[in-house]
Amino acid sequence: MQPVNILGDKMEIAYYPGCTLKTNAKEFEETAIKVFEKLGVRLKEINKWYCCGTVYSLATDNLMYRLAAIRNLIRAKEEGYDKLVTLCSICYNTLKQTNLMAKEDEDAMYKINSFMDEEPDYDGSVEVLHPLQILNEMMDEVKAKVKKPLDKKYAAYYGCLLLRPKEVAIDEYENPSVMERLIEALGGSAVDFPLKNECCGSYNVACNKEAVIDANYRIITNARKNGAEAIVTSCPLCHFNLKEIQKEVKKAYPDFVGLPVYYFTEIMAMAFGVKK
Amino acid sequence: MKMVRIYIMGKEYRVPEGLTIMKAMEYAGYRYIRGSGCRAGFCGACATVYRKEGEYKLHADLACQTTVEDGMYLVQLPFTPANKAIYDLEKIRVDDKTLVNFYPEIARCVSCNTCTKACPQELDVMDYIQASLRGDVAKAAELSFDCIQCGLCAMRCPAEIAHYHVAQLARRLYGKYIAPRAKHLEKRVKEIEEGKFDKDMKKMMKMSIEELRKLYNARDIEPEEEV
Ligand code: SF4
Ligand code: SF4
Ligand code: FES
């Protein structure tokens, strides 16, 4: 097998699940571990981990909300890893942005390191990756593992957190293509659609559901108009907002026609023929 | 006798070296009406916090288990206000969300680890709260097994979590719905209900203390059965 540059000479990488992968998005974790195993890459869950904080807090004067992310990076380092992968777009964004801060903001890190006086100092040396970045370098291996090529048209939906701010983007931030290439590698056809990096409404689902209903209507209708028969995503919250509220969208917009929504690892599992 | 200086609520006392905080306070003239129970590190009644001269750390410990040191500034925390959720264990079900539904404030945890540092039982308190948050009831139950409900974690938590109530619910759920049933216990309960021991019980009720004592001392101690 070709060495994967991003992983160096290892075929194992530290894996941070995050709470949602253990509760609402179990199918995401299960399929991810299985399809990466097929590709010869082991996602090794770190022994101890903490809720990432669920958003990267933009309050620069309250470092309390950065502690959890830093602590996770320390755990990965302590277990001997210099790279950490996470599936959920929100966890990815939070850990990645926090790590950037750890590299760049000395004052903040002085405070955080002295507050966490029971932990070794952290210096930003664990690189946070998203599995799509690994797959990006493994498209040939992916093709080779396909047993039942996909036969549908898929719209790759990125949402915001894999791409913004641009410093943490996993791909070209205005016009990403890694998921489209993955879909094609799996035998499916990828449709282009302009709303692929539009926000799904995020946590508004808890306090301003109309905003999420509107976003859902626009995104799914736009994907469908561009020929999509299903949507592919990497985020449990996007997944929820796009999938679980389709009935309510139908009520608000009688002309709405829904689409199935999958995690990218689910369509990989289908194409690889691995059982759930 | 070597004496050490301690400060109880700011007032200086000289007490003999080697006493526990609890005994030192009694030596200084305080009488425990609350905030003391077993005096053996089991009941969690004697939560105490202190600082040492020249150190920034605020320590938390059990007064009955910690020896006084020269230059300790102490106070007792006989009670921790902490609301407990109301539930009927027979009716609730265990799933990923049970703990966070009864104690939604656990989602406020920022992983500062202050609770862990405060715990006199040296439990991984933050880890059991994090396990609770992700719905891992078995892990929360296991990590909190030695909690004595002293309340010190709850007093220190910036997220205002009542850790030990969450942990108690986790252990109750674990005991009722997750842990494998002990077969020998079920068998014995059935035997009791069927009256297997009624005759012996009646006989014992008529015995004198002397006879009972003899019987007790001569009893067979059954080996533990594998579950
Ligand atoms: S977990 Fe909290 S209540 Fe339980 S023993 Fe530790 S500090 Fe006390
Ligand atoms: S003290 Fe509170 S916020 Fe800090 S780690 Fe413990 S539970 Fe979480
Ligand atoms: S008095 Fe019971 S633990 Fe100290």
Side-chain angles (χ1 to χ4, degrees):
Chain A
M1 183 184 290
Q2 288 274 14
V4 188
N5 286 330
I6 205 163
L7 292 181
D9 51 8
K10 293 191 193 119
M11 291 310 270
E12 173 178 290
I13 184 164
Y15 160 58
Y16 169 85
C19 313
T20 313
L21 278 277
K22 296 289 180 192
T23 52
N24 293 340
K26 287 191 182 117
E27 69 276 29
F28 192 11
E29 171 171 78
E30 278 162 22
T31 49
I33 289 175
K34 281 187 186 155
V35 297
F36 272 92
E37 203 177 86
K38 277 262 173 219
L39 293 169
V41 179
R42 181 162 179 241
L43 305 184
K44 164 79 177 56
E45 180 172 330
I46 50 175
N47 291 324
K48 278 191 174 188
W49 53 270
Y50 322 96
C51 169
C52 70
T54 65
V55 276
Y56 182 72
S57 161
L58 295 176
T60 50
D61 56 353
N62 189 346
L63 298 174
M64 209 64 166
Y65 297 112
R66 309 273 159 84
L67 296 180
I70 296 281
R71 220 182 272 285
N72 286 312
L73 296 165
I74 294 176
R75 290 288 88 78
K77 198 169 171 183
E78 201 173 67
E79 291 180 30
Y81 296 98
D82 57 4
K83 296 198 168 85
L84 178 74
V85 80
T86 183
L87 287 154
C88 165
S89 301
I90 304 181
C91 299
Y92 165 78
N93 192 277
T94 306
L95 295 176
K96 184 87 180 178
Q97 288 210 63
T98 308
N99 200 47
L100 264 189
M101 175 204 73
K103 280 197 239 178
E104 287 166 5
D105 190 340
E106 253 178 61
D107 291 349
M109 283 317 287
Y110 175 75
K111 271 199 188 158
I112 289 178
N113 282 326
S114 29
F115 179 82
M116 299 202 295
D117 55 3
E118 78 280 23
E119 299 277 16
D121 283 1
Y122 183 66
D123 55 2
S125 56
V126 175
E127 190 187 351
V128 180
L129 292 175
H130 192 274
L132 285 169
Q133 293 173 294
I134 302 175
L135 293 173
N136 190 34
E137 289 188 13
M138 296 186 84
M139 291 299 175
D140 289 340
E141 285 86 347
V142 170
K143 267 182 213 151
K145 292 288 172 209
V146 174
K147 281 206 188 120
K148 296 186 219 156
L150 302 177
D151 54 6
K152 282 206 178 76
K153 292 181 183 159
Y154 295 88
Y157 175 73
Y158 293 83
C160 334
L161 293 173
L162 293 179
L163 304 170
R164 297 285 178 173
K166 63 180 191 298
E167 291 74 21
V168 305
I170 62 156
D171 198 1
E172 175 54 49
Y173 62 93
E174 282 288 4
N175 191 20
S177 61
V178 54
M179 266 202 275
E180 281 87 343
R181 277 178 284 123
L182 177 67
I183 291 164
E184 305 266 332
L186 297 170
S189 49
V191 304
D192 197 17
F193 85 117
L195 297 192
K196 66 182 174 183
N197 49 8
E198 186 90 353
C199 177
C200 70
S202 184
Y203 285 111
N204 272 314
V205 70
C207 52
N208 178 11
K209 213 169 194 178
E210 274 105 73
V212 177
I213 289 174
D214 284 355
N216 178 305
Y217 176 74
R218 272 185 299 121
I219 293 165
I220 293 189
T221 307
N222 184 266
R224 175 180 279 289
K225 279 196 179 141
N226 285 282
E229 296 165 282
I231 300 222
V232 182
T233 177
S234 96
C235 175
L237 187 54
C238 298
H239 187 269
F240 184 88
N241 284 350
L242 291 180
K243 185 177 178 181
E244 304 300 336
I245 64 162
Q246 290 191 13
K247 266 201 193 118
E248 288 166 75
V249 179
K250 179 85 193 156
K251 250 186 228 154
Y253 295 95
D255 65 325
F256 174 75
V257 184
L259 281 180
V261 182
Y262 299 107
Y263 291 112
F264 68 91
T265 52
E266 287 182 299
I267 59 164
M268 287 177 77
M270 287 186 236
F272 287 2
V274 299
K275 295 209 179 66
K276 280 210 179 167
Chain B
M1 189 172 11
K2 194 165 171 241
M3 306 292 273
V4 295
R5 284 168 307 128
I6 60 167
Y7 300 84
I8 301 171
M9 289 179 277
K11 185 166 172 348
E12 183 179 322
Y13 297 87
R14 294 196 174 242
V15 299
E17 186 186 53
L19 294 186
T20 61
I21 292 174
M22 184 170 275
K23 291 219 175 100
M25 286 186 64
E26 287 172 331
Y27 181 92
Y30 286 85
R31 187 156 73 92
Y32 281 85
I33 296 169
R34 302 260 353 230
S36 159
C38 67
R39 292 178 176 252
F42 288 116
C43 74
C46 62
T48 189
V49 289
Y50 59 88
R51 271 203 167 87
K52 297 186 213 165
E53 262 166 2
E55 227 192 51
Y56 70 84
K57 287 224 163 287
L58 182 68
H59 297 268
D61 240 316
L62 299 174
C64 73
Q65 294 298 299
T66 314
T67 343
V68 282
E69 285 171 47
D70 195 52
M72 250 184 186
Y73 288 79
L74 329 142
V75 74
Q76 293 298 106
L77 292 179
F79 175 72
T80 303
N83 297 338
K84 191 157 104 193
I86 296 180
Y87 46 80
D88 178 346
L89 199 61
E90 299 294 330
K91 294 204 182 111
I92 59 177
R93 286 290 164 261
V94 54
D95 62 33
D96 302 339
K97 296 279 153 56
T98 313
L99 294 173
V100 76
N101 283 344
F102 280 106
Y103 293 102
E105 60 278 10
I106 60 177
R108 286 162 45 90
C109 170
V110 292
S111 299
C112 68
N113 210 25
T114 312
C115 49
T116 309
K117 292 183 194 169
C119 180
Q121 294 290 86
E122 294 177 9
L123 303 180
D124 286 330
V125 188
M126 171 171 74
D127 292 68
Y128 82 57
I129 291 300
Q130 287 286 322
S132 306
L133 184 57
R134 70 183 73 132
D136 193 343
V137 175
K139 188 92 195 157
E142 178 201 323
L143 290 176
S144 69
F145 188 77
D146 286 324
C147 171
I148 55 173
Q149 312 213 319
C150 68
L152 282 164
C153 50
M155 278 305 220
R156 298 285 284 129
C157 174
E160 291 143 313
I161 292 164
H163 313 62
Y164 51 102
H165 288 327
V166 183
Q168 187 175 53
L169 176 54
R171 291 192 303 278
R172 284 175 171 162
L173 290 169
Y174 181 77
K176 182 143 182 72
Y177 296 112
I178 302 172
R181 318 298 304 177
K183 293 263 162 20
H184 63 298
L185 180 65
E186 278 175 7
K187 195 169 127 220
R188 179 55 50 90
V189 170
K190 197 155 164 259
E191 285 172 352
I192 295 171
E193 281 167 357
E194 285 166 1
K196 182 173 176 190
F197 302 100
D198 289 1
K199 217 171 86 209
D200 290 341
M201 274 307 266
K202 272 194 196 121
K203 211 163 94 194
M204 282 203 295
M205 307 250 297
K206 293 200 188 103
M207 286 181 183
S208 69
I209 288 280
E210 257 29 71
E211 282 173 302
L212 274 175
R213 202 167 273 150
K214 230 193 255 164
L215 199 64
Y216 180 78
N217 289 333
R219 76 196 186 280
D220 281 343
I221 297 173
E222 290 173 31
E224 286 219 6
E225 266 179 68
E226 289 291 313
V227 267

mmCIF file of all heavy atoms in Angstrom, chain A residues 152-169:
data_model
loop_
_atom_site.group_PDB
_atom_site.id
_atom_site.type_symbol
_atom_site.label_atom_id
_atom_site.label_comp_id
_atom_site.label_asym_id
_atom_site.label_seq_id
_atom_site.Cartn_x
_atom_site.Cartn_y
_atom_site.Cartn_z
ATOM 1 N N LYS A 152 -26.116 6.316 -7.209
ATOM 2 C CA LYS A 152 -27.004 7.485 -7.093
ATOM 3 C C LYS A 152 -26.220 8.773 -7.312
ATOM 4 O O LYS A 152 -24.994 8.776 -7.365
ATOM 5 C CB LYS A 152 -27.626 7.512 -5.702
ATOM 6 C CG LYS A 152 -28.768 6.557 -5.496
ATOM 7 C CD LYS A 152 -29.684 7.108 -4.383
ATOM 8 C CE LYS A 152 -30.879 6.205 -4.158
ATOM 9 N NZ LYS A 152 -30.548 4.982 -3.414
ATOM 10 N N LYS A 153 -26.983 9.851 -7.366
ATOM 11 C CA LYS A 153 -26.365 11.178 -7.440
ATOM 12 C C LYS A 153 -26.390 11.803 -6.047
ATOM 13 O O LYS A 153 -27.454 11.919 -5.424
ATOM 14 C CB LYS A 153 -27.153 12.059 -8.403
ATOM 15 C CG LYS A 153 -27.038 11.611 -9.847
ATOM 16 C CD LYS A 153 -27.835 12.575 -10.700
ATOM 17 C CE LYS A 153 -27.823 12.139 -12.156
ATOM 18 N NZ LYS A 153 -28.954 12.744 -12.877
ATOM 19 N N TYR A 154 -25.219 12.170 -5.573
ATOM 20 C CA TYR A 154 -25.104 12.691 -4.212
ATOM 21 C C TYR A 154 -24.673 14.156 -4.200
ATOM 22 O O TYR A 154 -23.809 14.564 -4.991
ATOM 23 C CB TYR A 154 -24.066 11.895 -3.419
ATOM 24 C CG TYR A 154 -24.452 10.462 -3.199
ATOM 25 C CD1 TYR A 154 -24.130 9.495 -4.135
ATOM 26 C CD2 TYR A 154 -25.137 10.087 -2.048
ATOM 27 C CE1 TYR A 154 -24.485 8.163 -3.938
ATOM 28 C CE2 TYR A 154 -25.492 8.755 -1.845
ATOM 29 C CZ TYR A 154 -25.167 7.804 -2.792
ATOM 30 O OH TYR A 154 -25.518 6.494 -2.595
ATOM 31 N N ALA A 155 -25.247 14.911 -3.287
ATOM 32 C CA ALA A 155 -24.791 16.288 -3.071
ATOM 33 C C ALA A 155 -23.921 16.296 -1.823
ATOM 34 O O ALA A 155 -24.366 15.882 -0.748
ATOM 35 C CB ALA A 155 -25.986 17.211 -2.879
ATOM 36 N N ALA A 156 -22.669 16.724 -1.951
ATOM 37 C CA ALA A 156 -21.772 16.805 -0.788
ATOM 38 C C ALA A 156 -22.069 18.103 -0.052
ATOM 39 O O ALA A 156 -21.958 19.187 -0.619
ATOM 40 C CB ALA A 156 -20.329 16.770 -1.249
ATOM 41 N N TYR A 157 -22.458 17.958 1.201
ATOM 42 C CA TYR A 157 -22.783 19.156 1.993
ATOM 43 C C TYR A 157 -21.715 19.341 3.081
ATOM 44 O O TYR A 157 -21.528 18.476 3.928
ATOM 45 C CB TYR A 157 -24.179 19.007 2.626
ATOM 46 C CG TYR A 157 -24.504 20.140 3.547
ATOM 47 C CD1 TYR A 157 -24.812 21.399 3.040
ATOM 48 C CD2 TYR A 157 -24.451 19.983 4.934
ATOM 49 C CE1 TYR A 157 -25.071 22.468 3.882
ATOM 50 C CE2 TYR A 157 -24.712 21.042 5.779
ATOM 51 C CZ TYR A 157 -25.022 22.278 5.253
ATOM 52 O OH TYR A 157 -25.253 23.332 6.091
ATOM 53 N N TYR A 158 -21.016 20.467 3.045
ATOM 54 C CA TYR A 158 -19.905 20.714 3.966
ATOM 55 C C TYR A 158 -20.311 21.505 5.202
ATOM 56 O O TYR A 158 -19.716 21.363 6.264
ATOM 57 C CB TYR A 158 -18.780 21.477 3.253
ATOM 58 C CG TYR A 158 -18.107 20.667 2.166
ATOM 59 C CD1 TYR A 158 -18.658 20.587 0.889
ATOM 60 C CD2 TYR A 158 -16.937 19.965 2.420
ATOM 61 C CE1 TYR A 158 -18.049 19.836 -0.109
ATOM 62 C CE2 TYR A 158 -16.317 19.214 1.434
ATOM 63 C CZ TYR A 158 -16.881 19.149 0.170
ATOM 64 O OH TYR A 158 -16.280 18.400 -0.796
ATOM 65 N N GLY A 159 -21.318 22.384 5.040
ATOM 66 C CA GLY A 159 -21.652 23.267 6.158
ATOM 67 C C GLY A 159 -20.508 24.239 6.396
ATOM 68 O O GLY A 159 -19.671 24.469 5.515
ATOM 69 N N CYS A 160 -20.446 24.802 7.609
ATOM 70 C CA CYS A 160 -19.447 25.850 7.870
ATOM 71 C C CYS A 160 -18.168 25.339 8.514
ATOM 72 O O CYS A 160 -17.082 25.809 8.233
ATOM 73 C CB CYS A 160 -19.981 26.911 8.828
ATOM 74 S SG CYS A 160 -21.745 27.111 8.862
ATOM 75 N N LEU A 161 -18.322 24.379 9.447
ATOM 76 C CA LEU A 161 -17.234 24.199 10.405
ATOM 77 C C LEU A 161 -16.029 23.426 9.875
ATOM 78 O O LEU A 161 -14.974 23.416 10.516
ATOM 79 C CB LEU A 161 -17.773 23.556 11.686
ATOM 80 C CG LEU A 161 -18.727 24.491 12.449
ATOM 81 C CD1 LEU A 161 -19.381 23.771 13.604
ATOM 82 C CD2 LEU A 161 -17.992 25.730 12.949
ATOM 83 N N LEU A 162 -16.163 22.812 8.715
ATOM 84 C CA LEU A 162 -14.983 22.176 8.114
ATOM 85 C C LEU A 162 -14.185 23.194 7.314
ATOM 86 O O LEU A 162 -13.068 22.911 6.891
ATOM 87 C CB LEU A 162 -15.399 21.035 7.186
ATOM 88 C CG LEU A 162 -16.045 19.808 7.819
ATOM 89 C CD1 LEU A 162 -16.403 18.792 6.750
ATOM 90 C CD2 LEU A 162 -15.110 19.181 8.850
ATOM 91 N N LEU A 163 -14.770 24.377 7.112
ATOM 92 C CA LEU A 163 -14.171 25.332 6.171
ATOM 93 C C LEU A 163 -13.845 26.697 6.774
ATOM 94 O O LEU A 163 -13.073 27.468 6.209
ATOM 95 C CB LEU A 163 -15.123 25.543 4.989
ATOM 96 C CG LEU A 163 -15.532 24.258 4.232
ATOM 97 C CD1 LEU A 163 -16.648 24.560 3.250
ATOM 98 C CD2 LEU A 163 -14.335 23.667 3.501
ATOM 99 N N ARG A 164 -14.462 26.997 7.895
ATOM 100 C CA ARG A 164 -14.296 28.343 8.445
ATOM 101 C C ARG A 164 -13.889 28.303 9.897
ATOM 102 O O ARG A 164 -14.413 27.459 10.624
ATOM 103 C CB ARG A 164 -15.620 29.121 8.310
ATOM 104 C CG ARG A 164 -16.061 29.337 6.901
ATOM 105 C CD ARG A 164 -15.231 30.386 6.269
ATOM 106 N NE ARG A 164 -15.638 30.563 4.857
ATOM 107 C CZ ARG A 164 -15.156 31.522 4.092
ATOM 108 N NH1 ARG A 164 -14.268 32.375 4.546
ATOM 109 N NH2 ARG A 164 -15.538 31.626 2.853
ATOM 110 N N PRO A 165 -13.071 29.232 10.359
ATOM 111 C CA PRO A 165 -12.353 30.220 9.555
ATOM 112 C C PRO A 165 -11.365 29.528 8.612
ATOM 113 O O PRO A 165 -10.992 28.382 8.853
ATOM 114 C CB PRO A 165 -11.615 31.054 10.606
ATOM 115 C CG PRO A 165 -11.476 30.152 11.775
ATOM 116 C CD PRO A 165 -12.688 29.279 11.764
ATOM 117 N N LYS A 166 -10.921 30.236 7.599
ATOM 118 C CA LYS A 166 -10.173 29.562 6.540
ATOM 119 C C LYS A 166 -8.884 28.919 7.046
ATOM 120 O O LYS A 166 -8.398 27.951 6.480
ATOM 121 C CB LYS A 166 -9.902 30.504 5.376
ATOM 122 C CG LYS A 166 -9.030 31.715 5.662
ATOM 123 C CD LYS A 166 -8.889 32.509 4.372
ATOM 124 C CE LYS A 166 -7.834 33.595 4.434
ATOM 125 N NZ LYS A 166 -8.096 34.647 5.438
ATOM 126 N N GLU A 167 -8.367 29.403 8.165
ATOM 127 C CA GLU A 167 -7.134 28.829 8.730
ATOM 128 C C GLU A 167 -7.311 27.364 9.146
ATOM 129 O O GLU A 167 -6.340 26.634 9.291
ATOM 130 C CB GLU A 167 -6.668 29.617 9.975
ATOM 131 C CG GLU A 167 -6.161 31.012 9.692
ATOM 132 C CD GLU A 167 -7.264 31.988 9.360
ATOM 133 O OE1 GLU A 167 -8.443 31.731 9.729
ATOM 134 O OE2 GLU A 167 -6.970 33.014 8.721
ATOM 135 N N VAL A 168 -8.552 26.952 9.391
ATOM 136 C CA VAL A 168 -8.749 25.566 9.816
ATOM 137 C C VAL A 168 -9.434 24.734 8.729
ATOM 138 O O VAL A 168 -9.806 23.583 8.961
ATOM 139 C CB VAL A 168 -9.565 25.467 11.139
ATOM 140 C CG1 VAL A 168 -8.912 26.288 12.236
ATOM 141 C CG2 VAL A 168 -11.013 25.890 10.946
ATOM 142 N N ALA A 169 -9.611 25.313 7.545
ATOM 143 C CA ALA A 169 -10.338 24.614 6.477
ATOM 144 C C ALA A 169 -9.642 23.303 6.106
ATOM 145 O O ALA A 169 -8.417 23.248 6.012
ATOM 146 C CB ALA A 169 -10.454 25.514 5.252
#
